[in-house]
Amino acid sequence: MIEIPNADRDRFAEAFVVANTPASLLTWLEGDPTVLRVATSETDEEIIDTLLPLLRAAHRSESQTGTAYGLLVALGLRRRSNLGDFALPCRLTSLAWGDEIWRRLARSYVPTTRIERRVVQPATANVQRADGGAAVILDVNGNRVMPEQGE
Amino acid sequence: MPIRLQTARGTDISNDQWTEISTYERNWAATLATPHRQIRTALSPTYNCHGLTFASRRTRVFDTPEVQLILGDDSYTEVPIETVLPGDVIVYYADDGQITHSGIVVANPDQIPRTPVIVSKWGSGPEIVHRYSDVHTMYRGIPKFYRCRA
């Protein structure tokens, strides 16, 4: 479980109350120092272990709800910087804006472009080391090519 | 609970009315008054800032694309701060282009620098009359003013 100081919880609570939209809440939380600290210093498992009891609480306070959003965004930031795996970490139905915020985090993730390069094989000859260290040049069919015939 | 909400061109706008105000919100709202802010109404869970600005205080509008749809369908045009008039609207944008807040201009005193006064709503809190730059840090961003040409 991650220890989150009361001052941080109070800030999360105010963010939750002030936010008019999921966008404004996410924008705020993405820049929150505590969210950034959790995202960089805690593991996915620790974040989820701390988040789940908050999601399951029958009657959440603003402090708990705001903290849950903070942890959710921290988890999203970790996923964004690590694997880019945006499968839902748990059911977010108890957070009114949970799914929406998670979708926004996933949408803003830009995966690194995968570049494939094909190595072009020499079309005419391979070089192998023969017994005794002498170089033998073979053509693509495996036939020996004499140096004076190579050009 | 959503209501029927459409743009001038008849495009449906998703929305939702909320019904509850918590004790925490009441206590938080009590801290909002400052010498430069005028609290205009009681708290209301029914509408948010976009609901005040674009939906006649009837409901909450949440998404940036929905607000952009309204701005487009209702023929809003951006106007420079020097020419802003009462009745124009202000929309705050975050760095990533997301809309974080909105309000209605109520005055634009003839002074330099221009500091329009707006009425806006913070969360489920009250409507507040304040200078356009005096907003909660969550809403700070790039303010743009628009006039409805319809």
Side-chain angles (χ1 to χ4, degrees):
Chain A
M1 296 286 281
I2 302 168
E3 281 297 321
I4 298 180
N6 285 339
D8 294 343
R9 291 177 181 270
D10 289 346
R11 201 172 59 254
F12 289 144
E14 184 178 356
F16 166 63
V17 167
V18 175
N20 279 315
T21 65
S24 56
L25 182 58
L26 175 58
T27 301
W28 168 272
L29 290 174
E30 279 181 312
D32 184 90
T34 303
V35 170
L36 295 173
R37 178 182 59 76
V38 170
T40 53
S41 63
E42 307 290 351
T43 64
D44 284 16
E45 291 71 25
E46 285 170 322
I47 296 174
I48 292 172
D49 284 349
T50 312
L51 174 61
L52 283 178
L54 296 174
L55 296 180
R56 290 176 183 146
H59 300 287
R60 274 195 310 266
S61 65
E62 283 79 2
S63 170
Q64 289 173 310
T65 304
T67 302
Y69 278 117
L71 290 168
L72 184 67
V73 172
L75 185 64
L77 294 179
R78 282 189 58 77
R79 297 283 173 90
R80 188 192 287 174
S81 63
N82 295 338
L83 302 174
D85 172 16
F86 276 97
L88 270 178
C90 48
R91 284 172 61 87
L92 299 175
T93 48
S94 64
L95 283 181
W97 292 345
D99 285 334
E100 176 63 22
I101 283 181
W102 192 254
R103 270 196 299 273
R104 286 172 181 273
L105 283 162
R107 270 207 302 267
S108 60
Y109 168 71
V110 181
T112 304
T113 304
R114 182 176 171 177
I115 301 174
E116 288 190 6
R117 290 188 176 175
R118 288 175 181 272
V119 177
V120 179
Q121 299 294 330
T124 56
N126 294 318
V127 178
Q128 291 186 346
R129 303 297 294 182
D131 288 344
V136 176
I137 300 175
L138 303 176
D139 68 17
V140 290
N141 297 316
N143 299 317
R144 184 170 178 166
V145 178
M146 300 305 289
E148 58 273 22
Q149 296 171 334
E151 293 297 317
Chain B
M1 184 179 68
I3 62 170
R4 183 82 181 271
L5 182 64
Q6 292 186 325
T7 67
R9 290 184 186 166
T11 309
D12 287 327
I13 298 295
S14 65
N15 66 92
D16 197 21
Q17 291 178 330
W18 290 6
T19 55
E20 292 179 9
I21 295 281
S22 69
T23 303
Y24 182 96
E25 286 171 317
R26 292 185 194 286
N27 292 335
W28 161 76
T31 68
L32 296 177
T34 71
H36 298 292
R37 297 176 188 158
Q38 189 174 357
I39 306 300
R40 189 179 170 279
T41 64
L43 288 74
S44 171
T46 307
Y47 60 101
N48 66 353
C49 61
H50 301 327
L52 161 69
T53 307
F54 299 109
S56 303
R57 300 178 171 88
R58 288 173 293 157
T59 188
R60 289 174 177 249
V61 178
F62 296 111
D63 271 344
T64 293
E66 305 286 328
V67 176
Q68 289 170 328
L69 200 57
I70 294 170
L71 291 171
D73 276 12
D74 291 4
S75 303
Y76 279 89
T77 308
E78 188 176 353
V79 291
I81 192 169
E82 297 79 17
T83 64
V84 163
L85 295 172
D88 291 342
V89 303
I90 183 171
V91 177
Y92 296 82
Y93 292 86
D95 291 342
D96 61 0
Q98 293 292 331
I99 293 174
T100 57
H101 191 46
S102 64
I104 302 171
V105 175
V106 294
N108 190 7
D110 188 11
Q111 61 186 36
I112 297 176
R114 287 283 188 171
T115 311
V117 178
I118 69 169
V119 57
S120 76
K121 190 166 185 296
W122 299 8
S124 293
E127 292 182 17
I128 304 174
V129 179
H130 58 93
R131 288 178 295 193
Y132 83 106
S133 53
D134 177 28
V135 286
H136 191 277
T137 49
M138 176 176 286
Y139 307 143
R140 281 189 192 141
I142 304 161
K144 293 184 178 179
F145 296 92
Y146 295 90
R147 182 168 303 155
C148 184
R149 305 284 188 186

